[in-house]
Amino acid sequence: MIRDFIRRRSINLGLVMTGGCNGCDIEIVALLSQRYDLEQYGIFYHNNPRECDALLVTGTVAKQWQEKLVELYNKVPEPKAVVAIGACALSGGIFQQETGKVAAPVREIIPVDAEVPGCPPRPAEIAIAVLKHVPPALASYRRKS
Amino acid sequence: MSYLPFGPIHPALKEPLRIKLKTEGERVVDAEVDLGFIYRGAEQIARGKPWQKVAYLTERICGICSDAHPHTFIEGLEAISDCVPPVRAQYSRVIMGELNRIHSHLIANAIWFLAVEHETLGIYNLNIREKVMDLLEMISGNRVLYSWNLVGGVRMDFKESHLKKILENLKEVESEVYRYRKMFKSDALLGLRSHDVGKMSKEDAIDVRAVGPVARGSGVKFDWRTKHPTYVDYFDFQPVWRDECDNYARVMMRFDEVLDSIKIIRRAVEELPDGPIRKECEIPRGSIDYRYEAPRGELAYIFETAQHGIINDITIRTPTIPNLEACVKHMFRDSPTIADAVAIYQTIDPCIACTERVVIVDEKGNENDFRGMQNVLKELKALKNKKK
């Protein structure tokens, strides 16, 4: 119980870019700036999936990522949450066409707890999604073993 | 001798890419790059679509230089149809393009400072960048993707209040960038990580065809803006360049270009002529190779149109492709430590979302990317049908 309480106040984020245009990623990087200041909410952003609590997935899942994303998800320590960000991660966006090489949406590949629509979403929207949905998702996470 | 792979997911990398470093102790001797993690097939989607849809798609090839891609594509279409947009439209394209360049260079430097663990300057850069993002949002309505260019002009007009706000914010950005430039210049720790690290001589830069700030940091005095009609006619543009050839030169280059861009925007805002912002153009059948200076360097759009602006075939060559080769082939050589290799990699301002293109090289080493691409696809289709 204490662990859950503390985990709610210290979320480590890992970013996975699986295609798309980088637009969502620079909006996540913009969250580090003083205007949004992600760390004041106890959220620490780095890029290491083995140490993170919540995985931010952006981009159309390119065909090469389809299996790797599942592997990566399994490597994140439990309990874990996933936030899918941007139109590409939600539906494939503009790349979801007959000739596209895309396996989106993300929710069909790994379980997703929150989705942020937009092309790209504003930084504040991403911060709100993480703050609102990641702590309950971590608290109600059911361990596999 | 041992190999150290880093990527596709790595704390230092924002985008998936694998670099295999060949090391002797801490010293990096050689490197290999493995691309292809986020290939989406933008060219194949573009084929057979009207230009309006393709312009929308080109914007989503890269989110950082999201003005440069449609800018190049649309100006290429205008060159095919011999249609010169009104002067006010040309000026507003310059303003938008340079604002885009400023925000791209600031985030590039911010990520470099974060990569060498100098968080103060990294966060400062990100913070001042928000001022520029505010301007972009105010003008176009979106922070990242602007949809600014159309054939024959631009989508919206500037208001008086917009111009006032641009000058106001840029004044702040300018004074701050001068301050960060001075901090970077005089910081001893940053000097250790930047001076004489990642050397690439002018000859090597020309040899691997490095482009943009990477080439100009090595003393190559070339910029596609010196050949761009608007810059030639109204701005008498001169490229900035440095001859230190190392990390320091490349980071400093970006600061210098930001200051240069601010001067261009200020001039454009002050001299902005009155008049219409769009005129009618008809797109005939034709083909073109059009180049423009994106924030990272030369961006080439080689395409062919059918009647009424349908895109028959398109090839996009983005600046990170030669720059990545320059980094791997010349800069990583004799990098003193592995931590420096990460710093070197960030100075070329890599954009992997741009880079995931297909270039086909045949057995003799000839590049066929224009008409050749379609032939290869035909062959692949024939093979598929055979298997069925």
Side-chain angles (χ1 to χ4, degrees), chain A residues 45-61:
Chain A
Y45 163 81
H46 58 79
N47 225 2
N48 191 350
R50 278 181 194 277
E51 287 176 14
C52 70
D53 300 311
L55 212 56
L56 304 181
V57 184
T58 64
T60 69
V61 185

Side-chain angles (χ1 to χ4, degrees), chain B residues 114-130:
Chain B
L114 291 177
V116 298
E117 297 291 337
H118 196 293
E119 284 211 12
T120 316
L121 264 177
I123 302 293
Y124 276 0
N125 269 296
L126 277 180
N127 207 32
I128 201 67
R129 174 177 163 273
E130 287 297 316

Side-chain angles (χ1 to χ4, degrees), chain B residues 130-322:
Chain B
E130 287 297 316
K131 292 267 174 213
V132 184
M133 298 301 274
D134 280 351
L135 290 179
L136 287 166
E137 188 182 8
M138 179 189 71
I139 295 165
S140 72
N142 193 317
R143 278 168 59 92
V144 175
L145 304 165
Y146 321 115
S147 310
W148 188 246
N149 300 293
L150 296 168
V151 171
V154 292
R155 188 162 57 91
M156 283 191 286
D157 204 354
F158 289 114
K159 288 178 191 145
E160 253 337 284
S161 60
H162 287 174
L163 301 176
K164 214 172 135 194
K165 182 84 178 163
I166 289 176
L167 292 179
E168 204 176 285
N169 274 17
L170 284 186
K171 198 176 171 192
E172 210 167 320
V173 173
E174 193 180 26
S175 66
E176 288 291 291
V177 169
Y178 270 119
R179 196 174 125 232
Y180 305 156
R181 202 165 159 269
K182 204 175 151 198
M183 280 171 79
F184 173 59
K185 209 173 177 177
S186 55
D187 194 311
L189 260 174
L190 284 172
L192 282 176
R193 299 299 299 274
S194 60
H195 283 293
D196 291 327
V197 177
K199 278 259 184 195
M200 178 174 68
S201 67
K202 189 179 173 184
E203 288 72 35
D204 289 340
I206 293 168
D207 180 43
V208 292
R209 293 163 182 77
V211 292
V214 175
R216 268 171 270 143
S218 285
V220 180
K221 296 163 211 164
F222 184 73
D223 191 318
W224 275 95
R225 281 178 285 173
T226 51
K227 300 198 172 180
H228 190 282
T230 313
Y231 287 92
V232 170
D233 293 350
Y234 306 106
F235 291 93
D236 46 78
F237 173 80
Q238 292 296 326
V240 281
W241 55 278
R242 301 185 77 87
D243 51 9
E244 287 101 332
C245 307
D246 50 9
N247 276 357
Y248 177 79
R250 288 187 284 274
V251 175
M252 212 54 168
M253 240 343 274
R254 296 212 169 83
F255 278 138
D256 288 351
E257 277 195 11
V258 167
L259 296 172
D260 198 43
S261 293
I262 289 172
K263 270 176 208 143
I264 293 173
I265 295 173
R266 200 166 279 157
R267 189 167 163 184
V269 168
E270 275 160 12
E271 294 173 3
L272 189 68
D274 289 328
I277 52 161
R278 202 180 167 194
K279 81 176 202 193
E280 238 172 74
C281 294
E282 190 157 332
I283 299 163
R285 193 185 294 260
S287 67
I288 198 168
D289 176 346
Y290 195 85
R291 278 145 210 258
Y292 172 72
E293 186 81 15
R296 291 176 178 72
E298 174 199 296
L299 175 64
Y301 269 67
I302 309 161
F303 59 91
E304 193 188 274
T305 54
Q307 211 76 40
H308 308 303
I310 306 284
I311 305 302
N312 262 357
D313 197 359
I314 185 163
T315 301
I316 304 161
R317 190 170 181 271
T318 54
T320 310
I321 301 170

Side-chain angles (χ1 to χ4, degrees), chain B residues 58-78:
Chain B
T58 52
E59 203 163 31
R60 279 152 183 83
I61 286 173
C62 176
I64 306 179
C65 29
S66 54
D67 186 74
H69 277 268
H71 195 134
T72 320
F73 176 67
I74 296 287
E75 283 188 348
L77 281 172
E78 278 167 0

